[in-house]
Amino acid sequence: MASSRRFFVGGNWKMNGDNASIAEIVKFLNEGVNDSTSTEVVVAPPALYLKQVVTDVNKNIAVSAQNCYKATKGAFTGEISPEMIKDVGGKWVILGHSERRHKFGEKDELIGEKVGHALSAGIGVIACVGELLSERENGTTSEVVYRQTKAIAGNVSDWNRVVIAYEPVWAIGTGKTATPDQAQEVHDLIRKWLNDNVSSDVANSIRIIYGGSVNAKNCRELATKPDVDGFLVGGASLKPEFIEIINAKS
């Protein structure tokens, strides 16, 4: 079944970039991602640059926001809505990223509500789950990931527009990477949870991607694992090596 899932690589630029550097990133993306690229490619610039990237990037590269709120409009200073993302040409939003959970205090319930609203607004969701180092050391990885996945699943109206990103928090921006076997183990756990709690069709068709210090050196081995359907890339997505990661499966 794995071969029917189109490989998916997202680039999360986080709070990085300015007009000049983003123009450089768009340049290497446009040169490196062409009609022969079989991977689905999505990039997530800071919200201020969404429209610029939508306008300048090749049309076979989709653009995502890094976050959104659970409402269409209103008195939510500093937030953006999925309707706004869609209005400027964005196709996706990243929700539940560990930095949103642990630096900004977002809880499972809020993330689930955001997922539901984003899907109802017509954009795709890259929904993130993953455990802290202390949780892995305590042996509670599966418990944490199941809890987070359950909060997301309870709000999904269309599984065809959802990608799940497994991001072990201890491997994000640390230079540490889950081994291919560690990544495969958790991806398999998530797929089995979906099989038991949603449906076998969803479990077999959904892309589960890995995020956590992915780079050009480790991406090919990770991509060989049967339940690793792509990557959500941080720092490396700002560099030309991102093209190598996009082509990890080729």
Side-chain angles (χ1 to χ4, degrees):
M1 294 297 293
S3 61
S4 67
R5 296 191 295 266
R6 187 182 177 195
F7 207 66
F8 184 105
V9 175
N12 177 13
W13 299 358
K14 306 190 180 184
M15 198 175 73
N16 293 294
D18 53 26
N19 283 318
S21 64
I22 286 174
E24 287 298 311
I25 296 169
V26 168
K27 183 173 185 288
F28 75 65
L29 283 170
N30 286 346
E31 291 172 353
V33 180
N34 51 48
D35 291 339
S36 66
T37 303
S38 58
T39 298
E40 184 169 358
V41 182
V42 177
V43 294
L48 284 170
Y49 300 100
L50 275 170
K51 181 65 174 177
Q52 175 186 334
V53 176
V54 167
T55 301
D56 295 345
V57 82
N58 283 351
K59 296 311 171 193
N60 58 341
I61 301 170
V63 180
S64 171
Q66 297 176 15
N67 185 39
C68 70
Y69 195 53
K70 62 176 182 177
T72 302
K73 59 183 177 180
F76 307 108
T77 300
E79 292 288 345
I80 61 172
S81 70
E83 289 84 356
M84 291 173 178
I85 297 165
K86 188 176 180 181
D87 189 46
V88 298
K91 305 288 189 188
W92 293 85
V93 63
I94 300 170
L95 293 172
H97 192 281
S98 66
E99 291 160 6
R100 299 301 314 178
R101 292 178 187 271
H102 301 296
K103 293 183 180 179
F104 299 98
E106 293 189 6
K107 304 298 184 187
D108 293 343
E109 182 183 9
L110 173 60
I111 292 161
E113 290 170 344
K114 288 183 175 188
V115 168
H117 185 68
L119 291 171
S120 72
I123 63 173
V125 172
I126 302 168
C128 302
V129 300
E131 82 282 16
L132 298 165
L133 180 59
S134 59
E135 292 165 335
R136 173 163 281 271
E137 290 175 342
N138 290 340
T140 57
T141 293
S142 58
E143 182 183 323
V144 171
V145 171
Y146 291 161
R147 186 195 77 230
Q148 294 170 341
T149 305
K150 182 179 180 181
I152 292 161
N155 291 275
V156 172
S157 54
D158 181 0
W159 283 100
N160 292 320
R161 290 189 289 117
V162 177
V163 170
I164 292 179
Y166 168 57
E167 297 199 313
V169 182
W170 48 271
I172 297 174
T174 61
K176 296 179 181 178
T177 312
T179 67
D181 286 341
Q182 285 174 321
Q184 167 60 25
E185 179 185 18
V186 179
H187 284 226
D188 180 57
L189 287 172
I190 294 169
R191 208 174 295 285
K192 285 177 177 172
W193 187 94
L194 291 167
N195 183 78
D196 294 344
N197 294 277
V198 181
S199 75
S200 60
D201 285 347
V202 166
N204 288 326
S205 63
I206 194 166
R207 272 90 59 90
I208 304 175
I209 63 177
Y210 172 76
S213 299
V214 177
N215 57 47
K217 293 179 180 177
N218 60 32
C219 63
R220 288 196 176 272
E221 188 179 0
L222 284 160
T224 65
K225 295 301 178 181
D227 289 298
V228 175
D229 302 314
F231 306 113
L232 184 57
V233 185
S237 69
L238 303 167
K239 306 169 187 174
E241 71 174 288
F242 187 48
I243 302 301
E244 293 181 59
I245 300 170
I246 289 168
N247 294 323
K249 197 78 172 175
S250 61

